[in-house]
């Protein structure tokens, strides 16, 4: 769990993903994309579409 304070708003993240280093996050994304994770494929397509417009 990680807490972030933005003004009067407290954001609580209940995912261990935020505890990973940048290198570990990149390795996880690369691994999941290679496995064909459908959600990441959709996100990847959406990001690519933003750059094409």
């Amino acid at each position: 769990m990680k807490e972030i304070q933005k003004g009067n708003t407290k954001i609580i993240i209940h995912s261990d993903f935020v505890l990973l280093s940048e290198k570990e996050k990149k390795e996880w994304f690369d691994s999941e994309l290679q496995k064909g994770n459908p959600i990441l494929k959709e996100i990847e397509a959406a990001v690519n579409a933003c750059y094409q417009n």
Side-chain angles (χ1 to χ4, degrees):
M1 182 175 84
K2 182 174 182 176
E3 289 188 17
I4 302 169
Q5 187 76 34
K6 295 283 186 178
N8 294 331
T9 304
K10 182 187 288 185
I11 303 163
I12 301 173
I13 303 170
H14 295 276
S15 171
D16 290 336
F17 191 78
V18 296
L19 304 176
L20 297 177
S21 69
E22 292 301 314
K23 181 181 177 186
E24 290 170 322
K25 289 175 187 174
K26 181 174 178 4
E27 289 171 354
W28 182 87
F29 273 103
D30 290 343
S31 170
E32 288 299 307
L33 283 172
Q34 286 179 348
K35 291 179 194 174
N37 182 316
I39 302 300
L40 287 183
K41 292 284 186 181
E42 289 179 24
I43 293 170
E44 182 181 41
V47 169
N48 288 334
C50 290
Y51 285 104
Q52 292 174 359
N53 292 331

